[in-house]
Amino acid sequence: MQYFHWYIPNDGTFWKQVKADAQHLADIGINAVWLPPAHKGKEGANASGYDVYDIYDLGEFDQKGSVRTKFGTKKEYKAAIKALHDNGIQVYADIVLNHMGGADETERIKVLRVDPENRNDIISEPFDIDAFTKFTFPGRNGKYSKFIWDHHCFTGVDYAHDLGETAIFSILNEYGEGWEDMIDDEKGNYDFLMFCDVEFRNPAVREELKRYGAWLLKQTGFNGVRLDAVKHIAPQFYNEWLDYMRTIKPDLFAVGEYWTPGDLGLMLKYIEATDGRMSLFDAALHHNFYQASRGGKEFDLTTILQNSLISSRPDLAVTVVDNHDTQPLQSLEAPVESWFKPHSYALILLRDEGYPCIFYPDLYGAHYTDKGQDGNDHEIFLDQTDSLEKLIQLRKSWAYGEQRDYFDHANCIGWTREGIDENEGSGCAVLLSNGDDGFKDMEIGKRHAGKTFIDYLQKHPAEIIINEEGWAEFHVKAGSVSVWVQKN
């Protein structure tokens, strides 16, 4: 579960909430939690953590106007992780290494101005600017690491202090006068994303980030990592970093955020470049869900899994229905409409491919106000997803065994899971409709012959008896989801 969203209240109580909720999460069937970035951001107590200031300050030092982060203190963070571990839940730390912001001092540095829409297009001669590129972390005063970040550690910046100008400036230093090589050519080169862009060609930077990874692992005992913005980081760095981290923790799980909706090819190129060292979020499948939710009965459900990571590399696909970037008013806004969320969750939770991830507002709801792209304030209400806890329970108890697919109708698809001996009573039949009432003859296996099945989601009232060959006609209401399981 992604246990946060962009608009978590910044009152410092969040780590306490995680601790209090740990047992409930375990009870409903969550066995791994991805927590938000725990370090101090440039906005201090208001920072989401993606605006990195000090990766060693987990809410321990008086920096950027507060000791605590948005989520609480280091002591509370560690207590939350312990509570999750005590309830058998793994913890995935959010690692944000692409950029840093909120530097402590300016430096006079030599730069080139580049075209923001084509960063390979240089639009100035070399010139000097004053840039906030020196990080000394005076509040921490060298504890845990004495490393000082300066312009030798960055490829570019987005603000010239002396000129009062926001633009994209490529820094001229000894590690290469251009950007680092990326997998795709979006914006010419998408190495630069924001703030001070980290220079991974500097060996001192790579060594410092390995020291940090080892330190964080020792401090918190996390089980895995979610790697932010890998699209903007040369893959060689994470190859080196993950190989190092796995000398300390060989079973370290890693999932990268390479967000390319509708472009599976780039994700596969990244997997090739990293030699399968990390899973990726299935942005291509999310794109299908988004399109299906907007298309209604005009969307062909037989294509719902096509051109997705789950269909080509299910072993490395982490499947999502939404996340903190796709939620309303955020940078990659593309929320799956609420009527189709049960369909999407059935597809990621009840099939045998991929590693599904639940999004916090889908389980708990959310309410917030922020400015939209039109510059106006918008009040957003995100409802809890209908039947989500039941779908998680179905995964935990019933969705096992051989899978048979019936993706044979544009408005009604289904599949069955036969069940396994180790889980008595397991096995289920799933039907999804984005149009009218539907039905489908499906095989669920002779082990269920003569047994009565009911819709666990209680959307359809029928009781269905499996015939001696292990087949039955299963039903679903219009625009709905039904999951048929053994009665009692």
Side-chain angles (χ1 to χ4, degrees):
M1 177 175 178
Q2 177 179 356
Y3 196 93
F4 67 100
H5 64 104
W6 195 266
Y7 297 96
I8 290 292
N10 58 1
D11 58 11
T13 64
F14 188 68
W15 296 140
K16 293 177 184 175
Q17 177 190 319
V18 175
K19 178 182 176 181
D21 204 21
Q23 183 171 344
H24 167 249
L25 294 173
D27 289 345
I28 66 172
I30 302 295
N31 50 29
V33 163
W34 155 27
L35 293 176
H39 52 250
K40 192 71 59 70
K42 77 182 188 72
E43 298 298 326
N46 298 315
S48 66
Y50 295 107
D51 56 343
V52 187
Y53 168 64
D54 185 357
I55 51 179
Y56 287 98
D57 183 358
L58 306 180
E60 184 179 3
F61 304 100
D62 189 355
Q63 299 189 111
K64 298 301 175 187
S66 76
V67 173
R68 71 164 175 89
T69 67
K70 173 180 179 176
F71 309 110
T73 66
K74 178 181 180 180
K75 184 178 179 182
E76 291 161 351
Y77 178 54
K78 293 176 73 169
I81 291 173
K82 182 179 186 301
L84 291 166
H85 282 160
D86 287 348
N87 282 280
I89 298 174
Q90 294 197 347
V91 174
Y92 300 157
D94 205 325
I95 304 296
V96 189
L97 302 181
N98 175 71
H99 49 265
M100 295 171 64
D104 303 294
E105 300 173 21
T106 60
E107 296 181 287
R108 192 73 177 164
I109 63 173
K110 195 169 289 296
V111 299
L112 297 166
R113 190 183 278 110
V114 304
D115 180 346
E117 294 307 313
N118 179 6
R119 282 81 182 282
N120 292 325
D121 188 3
I122 298 166
I123 56 176
S124 77
E125 294 297 316
F127 67 108
D128 293 339
I129 63 170
D130 292 336
F132 281 99
T133 49
K134 191 164 187 182
F135 294 76
T136 60
F137 315 113
R140 181 159 55 80
N141 196 28
K143 188 174 182 182
Y144 304 129
S145 171
K146 295 186 174 7
F147 191 81
I148 300 296
W149 293 76
D150 62 18
H151 70 277
H152 300 284
C153 303
F154 302 112
T155 64
V157 292
D158 59 4
Y159 183 67
H161 180 57
D162 54 327
L163 304 177
E165 181 184 353
T166 298
I168 298 179
F169 304 98
S170 173
I171 296 174
L172 300 180
N173 63 31
E174 64 270 42
Y175 299 106
E177 295 194 357
W179 306 110
E180 297 186 59
D181 292 334
M182 298 294 118
I183 291 294
D184 76 6
D185 57 4
E186 188 177 352
K187 295 189 184 295
N189 178 297
Y190 220 164
D191 179 8
F192 187 88
L193 179 62
M194 63 176 74
F195 305 145
C196 299
D197 187 78
V198 172
E199 172 62 273
F200 295 102
R201 292 169 296 199
N202 181 338
V205 166
R206 298 200 304 275
E207 290 308 306
E208 169 64 3
L209 294 178
K210 286 191 278 191
R211 281 194 298 273
Y212 158 71
W215 171 83
L216 187 64
L217 181 60
K218 185 176 180 182
Q219 292 282 318
T220 66
F222 60 72
N223 306 92
V225 289
R226 179 264 184 189
L227 306 174
D228 184 66
V230 299
K231 179 179 180 176
H232 309 280
I233 297 172
Q236 299 90 305
F237 166 71
Y238 268 127
N239 291 350
E240 181 179 331
W241 192 84
L242 286 170
D243 285 352
Y244 169 75
M245 292 296 291
R246 285 170 177 149
T247 64
I248 308 168
K249 183 173 176 54
D251 63 346
L252 181 76
F253 174 75
V255 55
E257 180 213 16
Y258 196 105
W259 204 258
T260 54
D263 199 336
L264 175 65
L266 285 172
M267 296 165 71
L268 294 175
K269 279 177 72 174
Y270 188 82
I271 285 171
E272 184 179 356
T274 51
D275 201 23
R277 284 175 173 84
M278 68 176 85
S279 300
L280 295 180
F281 291 110
D282 197 343
L285 183 63
H286 172 268
H287 181 70
N288 291 356
F289 290 161
Y290 171 66
Q291 299 282 34
S293 77
R294 291 166 64 87
K297 65 182 180 181
E298 303 307 314
F299 185 88
D300 182 352
L301 283 179
T302 66
T303 68
I304 193 77
L305 302 180
Q306 290 180 10
N307 301 311
S308 65
L309 195 59
I310 202 175
S311 64
S312 49
R313 284 302 301 267
D315 56 318
L316 294 178
V318 173
T319 50
V320 297
V321 175
D322 266 323
N323 67 28
H324 62 291
D325 286 323
T326 67
Q327 73 182 98
L329 307 183
Q330 270 308 299
S331 58
L332 303 171
E333 180 175 354
V336 175
E337 294 186 11
S338 59
W339 77 273
F340 197 73
K341 285 198 169 186
H343 300 64
S344 303
Y345 274 114
L347 281 158
I348 72 172
L349 285 167
L350 304 182
R351 297 177 58 76
D352 63 1
E353 311 94 353
Y355 185 6
C357 181
I358 308 297
F359 186 38
Y360 181 98
D362 292 338
L363 194 61
Y364 294 121
H367 172 221
Y368 55 90
T369 301
D370 199 0
K371 291 200 182 307
Q373 293 181 352
D374 58 5
N376 298 320
D377 282 344
H378 295 265
E379 187 176 15
I380 302 294
F381 293 88
L382 298 180
D383 295 330
Q384 295 169 283
T385 294
D386 181 44
S387 303
L388 181 52
E389 275 204 29
K390 286 186 174 182
L391 289 164
I392 298 169
Q393 186 64 50
L394 282 159
R395 177 179 179 85
K396 182 179 179 181
S397 301
W398 281 278
Y400 294 92
E402 181 183 346
Q403 180 171 291
R404 299 178 179 91
D405 285 344
Y406 298 86
F407 283 44
D408 52 9
H409 190 287
N411 299 119
C412 183
I413 59 171
W415 65 93
T416 62
R417 302 293 300 275
E418 184 159 334
I420 55 175
D421 293 337
E422 301 93 292
N423 287 53
E424 188 177 353
S426 63
C428 60
V430 187
L431 269 190
L432 277 53
S433 164
N434 69 353
D436 299 330
D437 289 3
F439 65 90
K440 211 172 283 293
D441 278 313
M442 299 193 294
E443 181 183 5
I444 194 168
K446 291 183 179 179
R447 68 165 65 227
H448 301 289
K451 292 175 180 169
T452 300
F453 273 54
I454 57 171
D455 179 8
Y456 188 73
L457 304 184
Q458 298 178 305
K459 303 297 182 186
H460 201 288
E463 294 195 355
I464 293 170
I465 298 174
I466 312 301
N467 74 18
E468 61 185 19
E469 295 301 316
W471 287 72
E473 184 180 277
F474 297 96
H475 293 258
V476 63
K477 292 287 189 182
S480 185
V481 179
S482 285
V483 184
W484 299 89
V485 300
Q486 197 181 135
K487 190 176 180 180
N488 305 321

